[in-house]
Amino acid sequence: MKSAQRLLEYASSRGLNACFANPGTSEMHLVAALDAAPGIRPILAIFEGVATGAADGYGRIARTPALTLLHLGPGLGNGLANLHNAKRARTPIVSLIGDHATYHLANDPPLASDIVSIARPVSCWLRTVGRAEDLVAAGADAIDAAMAQGPAALILPADVAWSDGEPTPAANKRTQEDAPSWRGKVDDAARSLGAGAVLLLGGRYLSPRACAAAEAIAQKTGAKAIVETFPARIARGRGRAALSRLPYLSEVAAGTLSGVNAIVLAGAATPVAFFALPGRPTRLAPDDAQILPFATPTDDLDAALEALAEAVGARISQAQSAGDAPSAPDAGDAIDPVALARAVAATLPENAIVSDESNTLGLFTFDVCAGAAAHDWLTLTGGSIGQGLPVATGAAVAAPERRVVALQADGSALYTIQSLWTQAREGLNVTNVILNNGAYAILKLEMMRAGINAQTQAASDLFDLRRPTIDFVQVAAGFGVPGQRVNTQRDLTQALRRSFAQPGPSLIEVMFP
Amino acid sequence: MKSAQRLLEYASSRGLNACFANPGTSEMHLVAALDAAPGIRPILAIFEGVATGAADGYGRIARTPALTLLHLGPGLGNGLANLHNAKRARTPIVSLIGDHATYHLANDPPLASDIVSIARPVSCWLRTVGRAEDLVAAGADAIDAAMAQGPAALILPADVAWSDGEPTPAANKRTQEDAPSWRGKVDDAARSLGAGAVLLLGGRYLSPRACAAAEAIAQKTGAKAIVETFPARIARGRGRAALSRLPYLSEVAAGTLSGVNAIVLAGAATPVAFFALPGRPTRLAPDDAQILPFATPTDDLDAALEALAEAVGARISQAQSAGDAPSAPDAGDAIDPVALARAVAATLPENAIVSDESNTLGLFTFDVCAGAAAHDWLTLTGGSIGQGLPVATGAAVAAPERRVVALQADGSALYTIQSLWTQAREGLNVTNVILNNGAYAILKLEMMRAGINAQTQAASDLFDLRRPTIDFVQVAAGFGVPGQRVNTQRDLTQALRRSFAQPGPSLIEVMFP
């Protein structure tokens, strides 16, 4: 049996059941092997950034790794930006990256490149497999690493994939887990939490339990519970704690944290600016604030936060802060960010998943959706735009019974717009809400923040997406996804309702004046 | 003066006049500085693979570097595949890659990554500039390296860009060039060329002079003059030598080279298989063939080949092998690869540029176009698909007075389809000919070549682009490019003529049954 087939059978036996693929010649034996692992569903992406971003969305929802299938260094390069985001989210992913046959590399054929150098910055684990007999063991290590840490990259030369080789047994998985390190830190964390302290939340998944525990801790101690700026996944909506997020703009975030005396990190990192600005500090907490690392991003945050709640004597009950359901806007007025937020919050179906890359236009949506039906919210963890549509695509593969809503800025949508085709092909229940203001509006803002107040001609040109206007409805139709353009609040509400009521993907192009 | 501004003014003084940009926050000061260098035209791409591929097309035609402006590691990642192709073409490009402020990196903000690790595999030259005063000198070195070798990467932290600093003077450029190494090899090469030998041509640019010299050498010596499989740029058409290319399929290429006793490399590398196949050799020349490196890919091939012609006593005259002009197909029959080739060859305007990523469907086009009006032909040098439309875009910027024709396979077109928007924005004279067979046909072929004869269900699914069908005319319209779908030979000929007669971009979707 070819080792490629052994690898996929093994992956299937470990519960991996989706492979987001954009294969090439060097992966032909992996493609052939997919038939021998009928438990693994091959899902074609017509661009690798879709495949890696979809694996990220899949992993955040399924909490088990998807496979990706990528073609050599350039294929990995095309998928790199979304692996960067996935690494920041610590999403479990196992990327299978084909390479030339080992004996062919010395010939330096045209597609040869240093795959390891390209892969290392976006991988929590990395290995090039040199012998067929080692492949299954490497696959086992990759899956373990992906589960424990985040994206794993397995580089697979073609001759290793096509060779037969009795596999050396995979190392026994540790059955006895070490006690998590947060256990020894509960008392210190508990002592630090009081008025003037912040419990900063983050990590792979802020579940209903984790958020409820955090809220109870805050109420008991007087500390503020705040979610990191870009959480990988957080449970939200009616009946759940309505925690707020640390603002994106560093000057605003620093204001939120001013006067804070201690920050207990529960899955989050020490808060820093997204970008440095001339003359402004890059660390957001006051210099004299104590920073207490408590739980890491990959820890079991439910357990950690419930233990912390117990230590402070907090009783976890139904969420106190859950918001009220807003009413849907139904006027013929133009759409603005508040109307967008209300329309989404009022119409969101129960148990929806929101993939949020709405940038400037989505400013209010997260907060207003605290009053929406219960849902999960996924954000742009690594700051590399072009994540929203692929993540929505993968989330819909992981949870076919749930409605996925991509709140997607126009400029960012264009990096991975090919996602729409995979959604159409697989009949995924995704509502793609494209927020069209015809500009990289975030960059206009960042230019001012950088102290460049007179916007130059070059900048005006480079931030402008209206010359020519992009027609997202036509692009979507070209990829097989039906779409509609809306200009009024009423039409937006109706379009959302219609989209949520019918299976399969659709696109709503929301025009902002 | 901010160092970003000094850098761009210096680049402008060196004759650089185009910047293919997809900037982000860390490049704001470079964007602002573009106004201070009015000689540099900023050209926005809505995806970085378009920017880098366009810089490749620009550099192949202009023979001077374009700048690219890329946003940190992920932005570079998105542009990596086409930098890979450009590196294989040795195209002069200077990429400016923004990074976080030097003092912010230790904070590990979300967008931080190891840019050097990502950039090294696709760069002939690479430097991170740590101080404002060193930036202009680094720019000088980057431009020199790009001209001498190929893509150069200059990593520019935000605080270096926004700081002022009197530049240390750039090193004096060498005014005295070393004698090129091919001069000492002319006599050996001349002695090896005879019946049974091959003069293998490649490099940055096979000009009319280079091709005519090669043809004269072949006629005089009895050797065969053959062009490498994927030349960066070759002059072709009526009045020019009709040299043939080494076939892509390694088994066919090995046949072409069977019995050969010597291969003189003039800008080409030792011929090797594109991919290894189980049980097949990867070096294409017979084991006992002598390989003589003569001129390197970046040498002045005009001079080298003319010196070689003189050494063998060949007289260079008007090309002997120029083809006859084919007639345009005008029947209502379905379109096949031969009809495509004839339609293109019969209608191609004088002095056109062809960007060829036509893969399986373009099998005959290059050879038949030997009889077309004089033109330049650009190919997929690094094998990383998604090059054709961006290269066409950049070539049209470099040569606004010439018609550019992208012969583009459907699957490959989808990686960088966003090129169309930049073409519309800039009013570029590009005819995008999309060859739609609804499949990754090349992979079906490669699967058989890999010895997997029974095509599996997974493979059938993963090579199929017809579920759903992609409507390229609609996608193009969404990006602002008018298009037309053609099903017959007559309509194809007419659509090509119409497109060539009117300025600006257009798209022709050619349906293959």
Side-chain angles (χ1 to χ4, degrees):
Chain A
M1 187 188 291
K2 289 183 170 51
S3 76
Q5 188 173 336
R6 287 191 205 275
L7 174 67
L8 293 186
E9 285 182 5
Y10 173 77
S12 181
S13 78
R14 288 286 301 272
L16 276 63
N17 58 32
C19 177
F20 297 95
N22 188 268
T25 301
S26 40
E27 295 78 41
M28 286 299 105
H29 292 271
L30 278 164
V31 169
L34 276 166
D35 272 345
I40 299 180
R41 174 180 173 189
I43 297 156
L44 179 58
I46 51 176
F47 174 67
E48 293 89 343
V50 177
T52 55
D56 186 7
Y58 179 96
R60 293 194 203 186
I61 296 301
R63 310 193 75 203
T64 56
L67 296 169
T68 72
L69 192 50
L70 304 173
H71 183 46
L72 301 148
L76 170 63
N78 283 337
L80 188 141
N82 276 331
L83 285 175
H84 171 88
N85 290 323
K87 188 183 178 199
R88 292 284 169 176
R90 272 86 174 178
T91 307
I93 296 175
V94 175
S95 288
L96 306 178
I97 304 160
D99 197 1
H100 284 295
T102 50
Y103 58 85
H104 193 31
L105 281 172
N107 291 327
D108 192 31
L111 262 167
S113 64
D114 183 347
I115 301 177
V116 168
S117 188
I118 301 168
R120 185 171 288 125
V122 291
S123 304
C124 294
W125 179 99
L126 173 67
R127 190 179 300 166
T128 304
V129 181
R131 303 188 319 160
E133 20 316 18
D134 299 334
L135 184 55
V136 169
D141 290 347
I143 294 169
D144 292 344
M147 292 297 292
Q149 303 165 56
L154 203 162
I155 301 170
L156 184 49
D159 55 334
V160 173
W162 78 50
S163 294
D164 196 354
E166 191 61 37
T168 52
N172 279 333
K173 294 190 65 191
R174 283 168 303 169
T175 47
Q176 197 159 1
E177 297 279 335
D178 295 334
S181 63
W182 56 261
R183 282 213 185 276
K185 300 175 185 168
V186 170
D187 292 341
D188 275 354
R191 264 192 300 275
S192 301
L193 289 168
V198 163
L199 177 63
L200 192 62
L201 302 158
R204 280 176 158 172
Y205 176 32
L206 291 167
S207 72
R209 278 174 58 194
C211 292
E215 185 177 51
I217 292 165
Q219 292 207 326
K220 176 73 181 182
T221 62
K224 278 198 258 185
I226 301 179
V227 178
E228 63 183 350
T229 308
F230 291 109
R233 177 182 174 189
I234 178 169
R236 298 273 296 176
R238 287 197 290 276
R240 292 171 174 178
L243 303 173
S244 62
R245 281 156 64 188
L246 193 64
Y248 164 72
L249 296 179
S250 56
E251 48 277 44
V252 184
T256 301
L257 297 179
S258 74
V260 163
N261 55 36
I263 299 181
V264 173
L265 301 174
T270 302
V272 299
F274 214 80
F275 293 104
L277 293 174
R280 294 230 182 94
T282 57
R283 293 173 72 94
L284 303 177
D287 285 344
D288 58 356
Q290 194 193 3
I291 307 283
L292 284 99
F294 166 54
T296 71
T298 52
D299 275 339
D300 178 348
L301 293 169
D302 292 6
L305 288 165
E306 287 176 354
L308 187 56
E310 193 180 336
V312 301
R315 223 183 85 233
I316 303 170
S317 56
Q318 184 76 1
Q320 306 292 310
S321 60
D324 293 327
S327 61
D330 62 358
D333 299 342
I335 298 160
D336 59 28
V338 172
L340 170 73
R342 285 177 52 215
V344 171
T347 60
L348 202 66
E350 191 69 29
N351 207 23
I353 298 166
V354 177
S355 171
D356 177 11
E357 193 177 47
S358 54
N359 303 350
T360 52
L361 292 171
L363 192 59
F364 305 111
T365 316
F366 178 81
D367 285 335
V368 174
C369 281
H375 60 272
D376 278 308
W377 199 277
L378 318 179
T379 80
L380 181 59
T381 45
S384 180
I385 58 178
Q387 175 195 279
L389 300 182
V391 158
T393 304
V397 171
E401 75 291 357
R402 300 173 70 177
R403 170 59 51 173
V404 180
V405 182
L407 298 178
Q408 181 62 53
D410 54 351
S412 309
L414 294 164
Y415 292 72
T416 46
I417 192 72
Q418 303 95 329
S419 307
L420 297 173
W421 184 79
T422 298
Q423 292 178 14
R425 183 180 180 87
E426 301 291 333
L428 302 176
N429 297 323
V430 182
T431 300
N432 301 281
V433 182
I434 306 291
L435 310 175
N436 191 340
N437 59 4
Y440 292 115
I442 186 82
L443 293 183
K444 295 182 186 175
L445 178 66
E446 297 285 5
M447 193 106 181
M448 285 187 290
R449 293 178 69 218
I452 304 164
N453 291 313
Q455 194 165 303
T456 63
Q457 187 59 42
S460 300
D461 278 0
L462 289 175
F463 303 162
D464 165 42
L465 295 172
R466 287 208 169 117
R467 185 163 60 81
T469 300
I470 292 164
D471 184 332
F472 282 90
V473 172
Q474 274 198 305
V475 173
F479 286 128
V481 169
Q484 178 186 359
R485 177 177 283 196
V486 296
N487 287 284
T488 68
Q489 300 181 14
R490 183 190 306 121
D491 287 352
L492 171 58
T493 298
Q494 287 176 356
L496 287 167
R497 288 212 166 103
R498 204 161 34 237
S499 162
F500 296 154
Q502 76 197 31
S506 59
L507 180 140
I508 303 170
E509 184 175 17
V510 184
M511 304 307 290
F512 286 79
Chain B
M1 188 189 290
K2 288 183 168 54
S3 76
Q5 190 174 335
R6 287 190 204 275
L7 174 68
L8 293 187
E9 284 182 6
Y10 173 77
S12 181
S13 77
R14 289 285 303 271
L16 276 64
N17 58 30
C19 177
F20 297 96
N22 188 268
T25 300
S26 39
E27 295 79 41
M28 285 299 106
H29 291 272
L30 278 164
V31 170
L34 277 167
D35 272 345
I40 299 180
R41 173 180 174 189
I43 297 154
L44 179 59
I46 51 175
F47 174 67
E48 293 89 343
V50 177
T52 55
D56 186 7
Y58 179 97
R60 293 194 203 186
I61 297 301
R63 312 194 74 203
T64 56
L67 297 169
T68 73
L69 191 51
L70 305 173
H71 185 46
L72 301 149
L76 170 64
N78 282 337
L80 188 141
N82 276 331
L83 285 176
H84 171 88
N85 289 323
K87 187 182 178 200
R88 291 283 169 179
R90 271 87 174 178
T91 308
I93 296 175
V94 175
S95 288
L96 305 178
I97 305 159
D99 197 2
H100 283 294
T102 50
Y103 59 83
H104 193 31
L105 282 170
N107 290 327
D108 192 31
L111 262 167
S113 64
D114 183 346
I115 301 177
V116 168
S117 188
I118 300 167
R120 185 171 286 126
V122 290
S123 305
C124 294
W125 180 98
L126 173 67
R127 189 179 301 165
T128 304
V129 181
R131 303 188 318 160
E133 359 355 351
D134 299 335
L135 184 55
V136 169
D141 290 347
I143 294 169
D144 291 344
M147 290 298 291
Q149 303 165 55
L154 203 162
I155 301 170
L156 183 49
D159 55 334
V160 173
W162 78 50
S163 294
D164 196 355
E166 192 61 36
T168 52
N172 279 332
K173 294 191 66 193
R174 282 169 303 169
T175 47
Q176 199 162 0
E177 297 278 334
D178 296 335
S181 63
W182 56 260
R183 283 213 185 275
K185 300 176 186 167
V186 171
D187 291 343
D188 274 356
R191 265 192 299 274
S192 302
L193 289 168
V198 163
L199 177 63
L200 192 62
L201 303 157
R204 280 176 158 173
Y205 177 32
L206 291 165
S207 71
R209 277 173 59 193
C211 292
E215 185 175 52
I217 293 165
Q219 293 206 325
K220 176 73 180 183
T221 62
K224 278 197 256 184
I226 301 178
V227 178
E228 63 183 349
T229 308
F230 291 110
R233 177 181 174 189
I234 179 169
R236 298 271 298 176
R238 288 196 291 275
R240 294 172 173 177
L243 303 172
S244 62
R245 281 156 64 188
L246 194 64
Y248 165 73
L249 296 178
S250 57
E251 47 277 43
V252 184
T256 302
L257 298 178
S258 74
V260 162
N261 54 38
I263 299 180
V264 173
L265 302 175
T270 302
V272 299
F274 214 80
F275 293 104
L277 293 174
R280 294 229 181 95
T282 57
R283 294 173 72 94
L284 303 176
D287 286 342
D288 57 356
Q290 195 192 1
I291 307 282
L292 284 100
F294 166 53
T296 70
T298 52
D299 276 338
D300 177 347
L301 293 170
D302 291 7
L305 288 165
E306 287 175 355
L308 187 56
E310 193 181 335
V312 300
R315 223 183 85 233
I316 303 170
S317 56
Q318 184 74 4
Q320 306 292 309
S321 60
D324 294 325
S327 60
D330 61 359
D333 298 343
I335 299 160
D336 59 28
V338 172
L340 170 73
R342 285 177 51 216
V344 172
T347 60
L348 202 65
E350 190 70 28
N351 207 24
I353 298 166
V354 177
S355 172
D356 177 10
E357 193 176 50
S358 55
N359 303 351
T360 50
L361 291 170
L363 192 59
F364 305 112
T365 316
F366 178 82
D367 284 334
V368 174
C369 280
H375 61 273
D376 278 309
W377 199 277
L378 318 178
T379 79
L380 182 59
T381 46
S384 178
I385 58 177
Q387 175 195 276
L389 300 183
V391 158
T393 304
V397 172
E401 75 291 356
R402 301 173 69 176
R403 171 58 51 173
V404 180
V405 183
L407 298 177
Q408 182 60 56
D410 54 351
S412 308
L414 294 163
Y415 290 72
T416 45
I417 192 73
Q418 303 94 330
S419 307
L420 297 174
W421 184 81
T422 297
Q423 293 178 13
R425 182 180 182 87
E426 303 290 334
L428 302 175
N429 296 322
V430 182
T431 300
N432 301 281
V433 183
I434 306 290
L435 311 175
N436 191 339
N437 59 5
Y440 293 114
I442 186 82
L443 294 183
K444 295 182 184 175
L445 178 67
E446 297 286 3
M447 193 107 182
M448 284 188 291
R449 293 178 69 218
I452 305 163
N453 290 312
Q455 193 164 304
T456 64
Q457 186 58 42
S460 302
D461 278 359
L462 288 176
F463 304 161
D464 165 42
L465 295 172
R466 286 208 169 118
R467 184 163 60 82
T469 300
I470 292 164
D471 184 332
F472 282 89
V473 173
Q474 274 198 305
V475 172
F479 286 128
V481 170
Q484 178 186 359
R485 179 177 281 194
V486 297
N487 287 284
T488 68
Q489 300 182 13
R490 183 189 307 121
D491 287 351
L492 170 59
T493 298
Q494 287 175 354
L496 287 167
R497 289 212 166 104
R498 205 161 32 237
S499 162
F500 297 154
Q502 75 196 32
S506 60
L507 180 140
I508 303 169
E509 184 175 15
V510 184
M511 306 306 291
F512 287 80

